[in-house]
Amino acid sequence: MDQLRLKSVLLELGYTEDELRLDQAEGKVGGVVVSRRFAGRSQEQRQEDLWSALEERMNPEELQDIVALMTMTPEEIAA
């Protein structure tokens, strides 16, 4: 999968370009999504929300190419 496909889906979900830090290596994609919408939510809740939304918009083959997506607030990144 191309990182542009994942980026496109994340933008559809309402994240902004500034919130996305994606990398691609050997056909696999991963990165960090930094958003204020994660504030007050556990890491488990963040991941469940994000992956549920991705599963609705991407096919299983595309999802297999996502290595990891960290979900962080701007404050967590700054710390």
Side-chain angles (χ1 to χ4, degrees):
M1 176 183 52
D2 182 301
Q3 90 178 40
L4 294 176
R5 169 72 175 127
L6 177 57
K7 181 178 180 179
S8 172
V9 172
L10 291 168
L11 292 173
E12 287 175 21
L13 292 172
Y15 296 98
T16 66
E17 293 227 14
D18 292 342
E19 295 175 316
L20 307 178
R21 301 174 186 178
L22 303 176
D23 292 309
Q24 182 170 350
E26 299 179 24
K28 302 290 184 181
V29 181
V32 181
V33 180
V34 181
S35 178
R36 295 199 184 286
R37 74 169 79 174
F38 298 135
R41 303 186 54 77
S42 71
Q43 195 58 240
E44 184 176 312
Q45 291 169 322
R46 297 172 190 188
Q47 290 290 322
E48 284 179 13
D49 291 347
L50 179 61
W51 282 95
S52 291
L54 291 175
E55 288 169 353
E56 291 176 5
R57 291 165 178 80
M58 301 177 84
N59 65 51
E61 292 79 23
E62 291 174 314
L63 292 169
Q64 288 179 0
D65 288 338
I66 301 172
V67 176
L69 290 173
M70 295 179 62
T71 50
M72 303 183 75
T73 65
E75 293 77 21
E76 291 168 337
I77 288 288

